Amino acid sequence: MPVAKPESSDARVIAHIDMDCFYVQVEQRKQPNLRGQPTAVVQYNSWKGGGLIAVGYEARKFGVKRSMRGDEAKKICPEIQLVQVPVARGKADLSVYRNAGSEVISILSRKGRCERASIDEVYLDLTEAAETMLAEHPNGILELTDEEALKSHVLGLHLDGLNARDCVREWFLMNDGDHRDKLLACGALIVAELRLEVLKETEFTCSAGIAHNKMLAKLTSGMHKPAQQTVVPFSSVKKFLEPLHIKKMKQLGGKLGTSLETELGVSTVGDLLQFSEENLQERYGRNTGTWLWNIARGICGEEVEGRLLPKSHGSGKTFPGPQALKTLSSVQKWLNELCEELSERLQSDLEQNKRIAHTLTLHASAYKLNDSESLKKFPSKSCPLRYGTTKIQEDSLSLFHTGLREYIGIYNVKAKGSNQHEWAITGLSVSASKIVAIPSGTNSIMKYFHNEDQNCTSRKESDYVFTNDAASLSSSGHGSLVQLHLAGSELEPGEVEAKTQQDMPGLYPKENGTEVSKDSVFGTKFTDNQPLSFFQMKEQKESLKEEILLPPSLAGVQSWVGSKPTQSKMEFVEEGSGLSVKSGKQKRKFDTEKRTTPSILRFFHSNDEASSSSDIGATTDGCKGNLGEDVLRRSNSWNYKSDEIDPVVLNELPPEIQAEVRASLLQPQTQAKTVKRGSSIVHYFLPTKNS
Ligand code: DCP
């Protein structure tokens, strides 16, 4: 958990903006005749009128709630208009809502750093804009106070017989007020303006919380809805937080909150104040203890990230009750659908934003029949993401198989007849994460090796000769290949799993609808009346534990890395003229300790070793394997293009290099393949027909 920086955070101006009954507003904009009418959006599944996923404020007055089914809603509000969420590929198609969210974000991001927190939520850091406004109006912002701002709810204001509006006006004027609150008042004005702009340009209303940090802003944005805003002056923080139930706090909706309740008897934030920082640290560890101590006092140093685009893409579907999937073929059918959607979104992200995703993750929820352990969670599985629908489909299915083997607890999972099934899948989702912009105009591969070179004390810069005729490695045109001329080696079967440091995600959301339930969702919100399980799992990124799997087509890659290839020439060559490492002139030296050598180097090391052991022999200076030119001349070089690079090696390169190489993989390649098709590396990277 982030440890707060109390000093710097007080004078910041942070807003959390939340769209009001978002899906309903989007539907009402599409069909203006629905405006003013009690309306709800229902999932496409028509059982009992479909599950309500968004309820408009007019319908809420009748007691209609999100958890209800359409039929139930009609009973208590006969005139309710039920609109179906759009459907594509047999599942909810959320693109219309996603696009509407992007429209709003483009407006909200005009005044400061903007972080897209979910499909309909945004954080803004308005500190600079507020400081500028305050500097320009040192004698107060009276002339700026507009009607919308005067409707703000300012927490802790004493009305003292005055009407609320006059009180708020007085607060905005506070000439002798606290500087931090003057900044907040400016922030409130800016947010009021932004909300009006959103309304004018998109017809959507939104609500906002304005405070000194993200935590307080988020806690207050929903306090007064719809179309209102709430401000938390510095002096009101304590009073505001004290009575709040502990589980309302971000990250306390789950186990930690429960532990505070049961083990420390803490039920409100105020209760937490009696514990010293040391007490909390003793019980929950240094960081968590400090974090708890801080949040109880309204201190949160979390930055607003400048991010307008989603952090991940996901596509999921639930299969409640009798719809549960009980055969591998039905799972495959649905995975194919989900992967197709995911692939399309990845492709458009690539085209529009020049971003690529690195990790593919499969989540599932399941139950076992006739098994007392049936509550066991289906493990989430990840692997490096390969672009192309077919590849994503293949890899997702493999991840599913791996998860299922673990879930069932046997190695060979066979498809069983529907009468004999042992398991049932109630939810499936595929997601793509670790999305990064494709860097352009960098020579990062060269830089990387240059740096690594410096890390080996006994290597001299002059030992390498790099030529970089082209300005950049990034692939900007067809056929731009990064060629890795590596020692050739056949892969051997072996281990394919590599563990990450992450924790296993839960299948169910953290409670209380905190940010956890919304960040990074971007379209993966399930529209069945199931818990928001999959996309919310992703929210728990801090505590995720997933296994990163290599796709089965990569079986043996790890052992290959450790194996001793028989050739010894290494070159980087960009097709045409680009970057090359002229192996004929290089003398490479590596640490003798394999364990301490980064594996990309180990890979090359093994190439060297292969030669050195047979041709040169080890040196005794701590680095061995100088490649004599005679050896290099004698070796046969195998040409590897970027689409043949071992992903294990690739995954261990710095992200910017990975991005470059992956970017080159995404380009149609015109040059004939000169590699063995049977190789599993080749199989892994070769474009499939319909990719
Ligand atoms: N959503 C969904 N499934 C859920 C919850 C929400 O598909 N279980 C969708 C529909 C909502 C949108 O996400 O319109 C945003 O969810 P919010 O929780 O922000 O709720 P609303 O925007 O609908 O209402 P509010 O005005 O209370 O924020």
Side-chain angles (χ1 to χ4, degrees), residues 216-256:
L216 294 167
K218 163 84 186 174
L219 278 169
T220 46
S221 63
M223 277 180 86
H224 299 98
K225 270 187 162 255
Q228 293 170 76
Q229 61 183 49
T230 307
V231 188
V232 197
F234 190 71
S235 53
S236 308
V237 173
K238 192 164 181 275
K239 262 199 170 165
F240 164 60
L241 284 178
E242 268 180 11
L244 281 188
H245 194 277
I246 198 79
K247 292 215 160 189
K248 283 250 184 266
M249 304 298 283
K250 184 182 170 190
Q251 296 181 10
L252 293 184
K255 281 186 193 158
L256 183 54

Side-chain angles (χ1 to χ4, degrees), residues 327-525:
T327 61
L328 285 173
S329 61
S330 61
V331 168
Q332 183 171 6
K333 172 189 169 286
W334 278 109
L335 272 182
N336 284 347
E337 298 287 352
L338 300 177
C339 291
E340 210 175 295
E341 187 199 334
L342 182 64
S343 182
E344 272 175 22
R345 288 179 41 210
L346 284 170
Q347 204 55 43
S348 76
D349 200 348
L350 176 68
E351 280 156 22
Q352 287 167 22
N353 310 313
K354 307 278 175 284
R355 301 196 309 163
I356 49 172
H358 288 247
T359 303
L360 175 71
T361 302
L362 174 118
H363 299 293
S365 57
Y367 63 89
K368 282 195 242 178
L369 303 173
N370 310 319
D371 189 336
S372 55
E373 275 184 273
S374 67
L375 285 176
K376 187 177 163 189
K377 285 173 181 168
F378 194 101
S380 298
K381 297 286 167 190
S382 299
C383 70
L385 193 145
R386 300 187 296 154
Y387 272 70
T389 306
T390 311
K391 287 173 180 176
I392 295 175
Q393 287 169 335
E394 275 171 23
D395 294 346
S396 297
L397 187 64
S398 302
L399 294 175
F400 177 81
H401 277 292
T402 312
L404 186 61
R405 277 201 292 272
E406 202 173 304
Y407 180 70
I408 297 290
I410 53 169
Y411 194 74
N412 289 316
V413 179
K414 289 192 178 139
K416 304 220 170 188
S418 57
N419 296 329
Q420 287 183 298
H421 62 263
E422 291 177 355
W423 47 267
I425 299 296
T426 54
L428 277 176
S429 115
V430 283
S431 62
S433 57
K434 297 204 180 123
I435 306 181
V436 296
I438 300 173
S440 61
T442 62
N443 291 326
S444 50
I445 288 186
M446 191 182 77
K447 259 191 292 182
Y448 175 71
F449 284 102
H450 195 74
N451 289 342
E452 287 301 333
D453 182 33
Q454 287 163 354
N455 292 339
C456 181
T457 50
S458 54
R459 266 184 264 157
K460 284 186 244 120
E461 236 178 87
S462 56
D463 287 342
Y464 290 149
V465 180
F466 289 100
T467 59
N468 187 11
D469 305 330
S472 155
L473 256 183
S474 47
S475 1
S476 50
H478 288 192
S480 176
L481 298 180
V482 178
Q483 290 191 343
L484 250 186
H485 294 248
L486 296 176
S489 168
E490 288 302 311
L491 302 190
E492 292 161 18
E495 277 283 79
V496 294
E497 294 190 6
K499 304 245 183 214
T500 69
Q501 297 301 315
Q502 297 169 320
D503 293 320
M504 184 77 77
L507 278 179
Y508 290 91
K510 288 186 176 179
E511 293 144 42
N512 86 8
T514 60
E515 190 185 6
V516 161
S517 67
K518 300 185 91 189
D519 278 353
S520 321
V521 172
F522 299 111
T524 41
K525 269 185 178 171

Side-chain angles (χ1 to χ4, degrees), residues 3 113 145 155 182 254 354 456 487 520 544 625 662 669 686 688:
V3 179
R113 194 160 64 239
T145 51
L155 296 187
K182 283 184 178 177
K354 307 278 175 284
C456 181
S520 321
L544 284 180
R662 286 180 208 277
Q669 294 168 2
L686 275 181
T688 46

